[in-house]
Structures are given as structure tokens and as C-alpha cells.
Amino acid sequence: MPFACIFVPDFSVEALLRAEPELRSQAVAVLEGKAPLQKVFAGNEKARRAGVEVGMTKLQIEACTDFVLRARSPLQEAAAHAALLDCAQSFSPRIEDAGDDAILLDLAGLEPLFGLLPKIARSGTTRFRTWTRSQCRRGFQSRYGHAGGPLLFWRNRDSCGKRS
């Protein structure tokens, strides 16, 4: 049974960058908790390369001046997740919400619409790449990949497809 997945690494950061795309070129860390106990919940790749780790305190990260710090926003995350679900449902009517950062799509039965599985894969890749660049304001960083079943997706989730 063919499946596809949409996976958004660093979902909390991507939801924030969806609302503030001008920060995409910077190292961004998302904080969770109440002051003075705020800790890093997530960071983008630039922040990780600069030494930011999940669990660092706000005080530890403020020692470095090249970071943008933002509070975690459940509202922005909910809006980003809803947009991700809309995109997935525009491709396949059978999807599984696998958490804020992942959606599984059942590709069985899509052959009459898109052709054979390789063509479905290309159509899906094109659709999600276009969607992430337009719908989510200049590049919601997501990955789209295919697997023979949901278990393969969960085992290979972090390497699911290529970033788009």
C-alpha cells in the first residue's frame, strides 16, 4: 500500500517563520515557559550550528547576541498545522494527522487522477514544493517522501524526502 508523508522539521520554528518570513535568514530559537524559567523548545538549523540546544535557558542563550528569540505560539502552530492539513487534503482524501509536524497520505486509489505511482510521486513533490513556497510565505521548510507503509515512515521520519 503506497503512502506519502509530509514532515516539517523544527515545526515550532517553521510556524513562527511562516508569520515572520523576514527572520528566515537568521538563527532563531523558540522559547517555552514563563520567565525567568524559559527554556529553548526548538531552534532552526542556523541556531543549532551556532550552539543552541533544546533545554538551554534563556539566560544561557542571551549571552550570544546573534540569535532571535521568540516565545512559542500555540496559535501560530495551530494555523500552520491547519494549512498543512489543507494542503494534504487537496492531494489525497485519505490522510492521517500524525502530530503537529507530520501528515501521512494514503496514495491508494489515486491512479485514475494522477497515473501510476511514479507519476503520483512527482505530482506530490511538485504540489508540496509549490505549496510550501506560496501558501506559507516564502518557504515553509517541509519534507515530502514516499514509503510502502506507515511503519516505514515512522522508522525513517527524520530522513523523509528532501527539504522543499
Side-chain angles (χ1 to χ4, degrees):
M1 188 178 336
F3 279 84
C5 67
I6 305 171
F7 175 57
V8 182
D10 310 319
F11 181 78
S12 296
V13 177
E14 290 299 326
L16 175 106
L17 295 176
R18 180 176 180 256
E20 297 183 65
E22 65 277 4
L23 298 179
R24 187 155 301 280
S25 64
Q26 299 179 34
V28 179
V30 175
L31 301 172
E32 184 177 53
K34 294 185 180 187
L37 302 175
Q38 289 177 301
K39 292 188 176 189
V40 173
F41 178 78
N44 64 3
E45 192 173 327
K46 291 176 179 135
R48 283 192 302 276
R49 278 186 284 181
V52 172
E53 295 178 14
V54 172
M56 290 176 80
T57 65
K58 183 178 180 184
L59 185 62
Q60 288 173 315
I61 200 170
E62 281 180 335
C64 305
T65 58
D66 294 340
F67 294 100
V68 174
L69 302 177
R70 292 288 189 269
R72 187 172 182 201
S73 173
L75 187 61
Q76 287 177 339
E77 290 178 26
H81 185 68
L84 199 59
L85 284 170
D86 284 346
C87 179
Q89 288 173 330
S90 75
F91 190 72
S92 174
R94 296 189 317 219
I95 66 168
E96 181 180 338
D97 185 348
D100 287 341
D101 63 353
I103 297 174
L104 290 174
L105 297 85
D106 184 350
L107 302 179
L110 296 181
E111 292 86 0
L113 292 173
F114 297 106
L116 298 176
L117 191 57
K119 188 172 181 188
I120 293 172
R122 284 191 304 275
S123 295
T125 301
T126 301
R127 180 175 297 215
F128 293 115
R129 186 172 293 134
T130 301
W131 176 81
T132 58
R133 289 186 181 143
S134 62
Q135 172 71 17
C136 290
R137 296 186 190 176
R138 297 182 221 111
F140 197 69
Q141 296 293 314
S142 64
R143 296 179 183 175
Y144 174 77
H146 298 85
L151 185 58
L152 290 174
F153 163 72
W154 287 114
R155 286 185 184 156
N156 301 303
R157 178 171 143 146
D158 291 333
S159 61
C160 169
K162 295 183 177 180
R163 285 186 181 258
S164 59

